């Protein structure tokens, strides 16, 4: 893993179909798709979303929504996000999110902790002073596995509470990630990418080796 690439690709016609069902004359999403899409698809890497956000926060927020919903989003949720775009842009202008700001983000339609973590990571935010990293169901499966339990002591205290206590769980995950990164001179971007894309394979290999 030479670079912290997290790429998603979705179909432009899917997004246009969703936008066509909205009762809104807002064209910002259409303009973004036209500017950044190619050959019927829109492909965004985390670092490109970060660059777009740095240049234009409004476009950057649209980029985070598309990047974090590669399989689409419910029409009513998208409708409300389009309606509340000014509020969302203002919220995402905060550099260091606390519990209040994260809960405000999670209160918006279609935004769960995994989606919020992608938005915070893509825009280079921190949460409670900790660099944001992505968390999703695959990562939760990995960090709660006994193979990695020793590396995630804060998460271990909240084992199986990713849904009942999502915000404290996310903070615990970031604290463990921060400690690992400091110890091994890594970046959170590389860590969450490894956990999402490679750790399960490594766990399987270790289990097979131990069994043999």
């Amino acid at each position: 893993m030479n670079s912290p690439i997290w790429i998603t690709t979705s179909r432009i016609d899917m997004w246009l179909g969703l936008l066509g069902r909205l009762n809104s004359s807002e064209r910002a999403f259409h303009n973004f798709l036209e500017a950044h899409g190619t050959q019927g698809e829109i492909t965004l890497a985390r670092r490109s979303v970060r660059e777009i956000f740095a240049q234009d926060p409004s476009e950057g927020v649209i980029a985070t929504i598309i990047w974090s919903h590669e399989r689409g989003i419910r029409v009513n949720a998208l409708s409300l996000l389009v309606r509340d775009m000014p509020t969302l842009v203002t919220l995402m202008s905060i550099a260091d999110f606390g519990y209040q700001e994260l809960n405000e983000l999670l209160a918006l339609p279609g935004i769960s902790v995994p989606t919020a973590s992608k938005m915070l990571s893509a825009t280079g935010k921190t949460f409670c002073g900790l660099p944001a990293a992505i968390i999703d169901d695959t990562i939760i499966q990995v960090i709660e596995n006994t193979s990695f339990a020793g590396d995630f002591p804060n998460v271990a205290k909240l084992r199986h509470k990713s849904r009942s206590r999502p915000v404290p769980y996310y903070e615990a995950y970031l604290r463990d990630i921060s400690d690992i990164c400091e110890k091994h001179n890594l970046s959170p971007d590389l860590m969450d990418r490894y956990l999402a894309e490679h750790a399960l394979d490594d766990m399987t290999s270790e289990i097979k080796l131990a069994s043999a």
Side-chain angles (χ1 to χ4, degrees):
M1 298 186 299
N2 296 321
S3 58
I5 300 173
W6 191 307
I7 297 175
T8 65
T9 298
S10 53
R11 301 190 332 271
I12 291 177
D13 61 357
M14 175 191 71
W15 283 104
L16 291 177
L18 293 171
L19 293 166
R21 295 168 63 185
L22 305 184
N23 184 25
S24 173
S25 60
E26 174 58 52
R27 300 290 299 178
F29 272 83
H30 295 80
N31 295 338
F32 183 89
L33 292 168
E34 183 177 345
H36 298 278
T38 56
Q39 298 182 338
E41 292 183 334
I42 182 157
T43 298
L44 295 167
R46 168 166 43 191
R47 62 188 179 190
S48 62
V49 175
R50 205 168 284 174
E51 291 168 358
I52 293 168
F53 183 83
Q55 295 171 2
D56 186 330
S58 296
E59 274 211 345
V61 168
I62 294 173
T64 65
I65 293 171
I66 294 175
W67 179 68
S68 58
H69 292 88
E70 62 180 315
R71 290 187 293 273
I73 185 173
R74 296 190 307 275
V75 172
N76 62 330
L78 180 59
S79 176
L80 293 172
L81 286 174
V82 170
R83 183 199 67 185
D84 296 334
M85 186 61 64
T87 300
L88 186 53
V89 172
T90 299
L91 184 61
M92 293 305 296
S93 68
I94 298 169
D96 181 40
F97 274 57
Y99 271 59
Q100 178 179 339
E101 291 80 11
L102 183 54
N103 282 321
E104 287 180 18
L105 181 60
L106 294 172
L108 294 172
I111 298 181
S112 60
V113 167
T115 300
S117 73
K118 287 184 176 181
M119 297 179 75
L120 294 179
S121 173
T123 53
K125 306 300 181 185
T126 57
F127 174 60
C128 294
L130 301 165
I134 295 172
I135 192 169
D136 60 17
D137 289 341
T138 298
I139 291 175
I140 291 170
Q141 181 183 351
V142 169
I143 63 181
E144 291 200 354
N145 188 280
T146 53
S147 298
F148 288 89
D151 299 305
F152 293 89
N154 290 297
V155 167
K157 298 173 186 176
L158 293 172
R159 186 177 173 84
H160 303 315
K161 290 183 169 58
S162 61
R163 298 190 187 280
S164 62
R165 298 185 63 191
V167 177
Y169 190 98
Y170 183 53
E171 183 183 3
Y173 167 69
L174 292 185
R175 292 197 179 283
D176 287 334
I177 288 288
S178 180
D179 290 343
I180 292 170
C181 289
E182 182 177 355
K183 180 179 179 180
H184 298 286
N185 193 28
L186 299 170
S187 73
D189 287 357
L190 285 174
M191 277 301 305
D192 62 20
R193 181 186 169 207
Y194 166 73
L195 294 171
E197 297 182 4
H198 301 280
L200 282 178
D201 290 338
D202 288 352
M203 285 164 50
T204 302
S205 298
E206 290 179 7
I207 291 170
K208 288 182 178 177
L209 182 61
S211 176

